[in-house]
Amino acid sequence: MNELGVLIVSKANYWMTIALMMVGLYAMIAKQNLVKKIIGMNILQTAVILFFISIGAKRDATIPIVMHGPGAHGHALRAVDYINPLPHVLMLTAIVVAVATLGVALALAIKIFRQYRTLDEDEILVQLQDGPQGESDG
């Protein structure tokens, strides 16, 4: 039983990622309010970013900067001694995309609220089934 406890604690970042993914997915599926769905989407995106950063980490490794010149050591380079920077670079891009997606989603939520005077998904669907809505003041 002790080995199972050590395994669970040693992989805490993965358990946190799973928990965040489940919370985000639950919010996107179960909530009726559009802003809550948007927040759930953002939580899910954050969980994916955390997962990729976690798999990019390596114990006892260093950044991949190779020294050349008088102070450089004359030994052969081993790739196992360096961290792969690609997951981190990709996640920087993913963070920018997540912020842009959040901004666009919130702008659309504002537009929907101005037109339908609600952010509840069911109420919007009822209004859509009743007929077209004209643009409101604002």
Side-chain angles (χ1 to χ4, degrees):
M1 184 65 180
N2 189 23
E3 293 175 10
L4 180 63
V6 169
L7 177 68
I8 290 173
V9 170
S10 68
K11 304 294 183 186
N13 53 342
Y14 296 113
W15 292 111
M16 179 59 82
T17 299
I18 291 169
L20 283 173
M21 281 185 176
M22 293 300 107
V23 167
L25 194 60
Y26 170 77
M28 288 176 61
I29 293 172
K31 300 297 180 181
Q32 295 298 316
N33 189 302
L34 293 179
V35 173
K36 290 179 182 178
K37 285 182 179 279
I38 292 169
I39 291 171
M41 178 186 67
N42 201 9
I43 291 171
L44 186 64
Q45 289 172 333
T46 302
V48 170
I49 291 168
L50 176 65
F51 173 71
F52 276 98
I53 294 297
S54 294
I55 64 172
K58 189 188 297 185
R59 202 177 293 273
D60 297 327
T62 185
I63 56 175
I65 297 177
V66 180
M67 297 290 292
H68 296 288
H73 301 289
H75 66 320
L77 297 176
R78 295 177 12 178
V80 74
D81 294 334
Y82 297 101
I83 297 171
N84 183 4
L86 187 61
H88 298 86
V89 171
L90 290 174
M91 289 310 104
L92 282 174
T93 305
I95 291 168
V96 172
V97 170
V99 170
T101 304
L102 177 65
V104 170
L106 289 173
L108 287 173
I110 290 171
K111 178 70 174 162
I112 289 169
F113 181 78
R114 285 182 180 163
Q115 185 165 354
Y116 297 103
R117 295 289 179 213
T118 184
L119 288 174
D120 187 74
E121 195 175 63
D122 291 336
E123 291 178 24
I124 293 170
L125 289 173
V126 166
Q127 289 184 29
L128 284 172
Q129 290 172 352
D130 289 343
Q133 286 280 359
E135 282 291 321
S136 62
D137 303 322

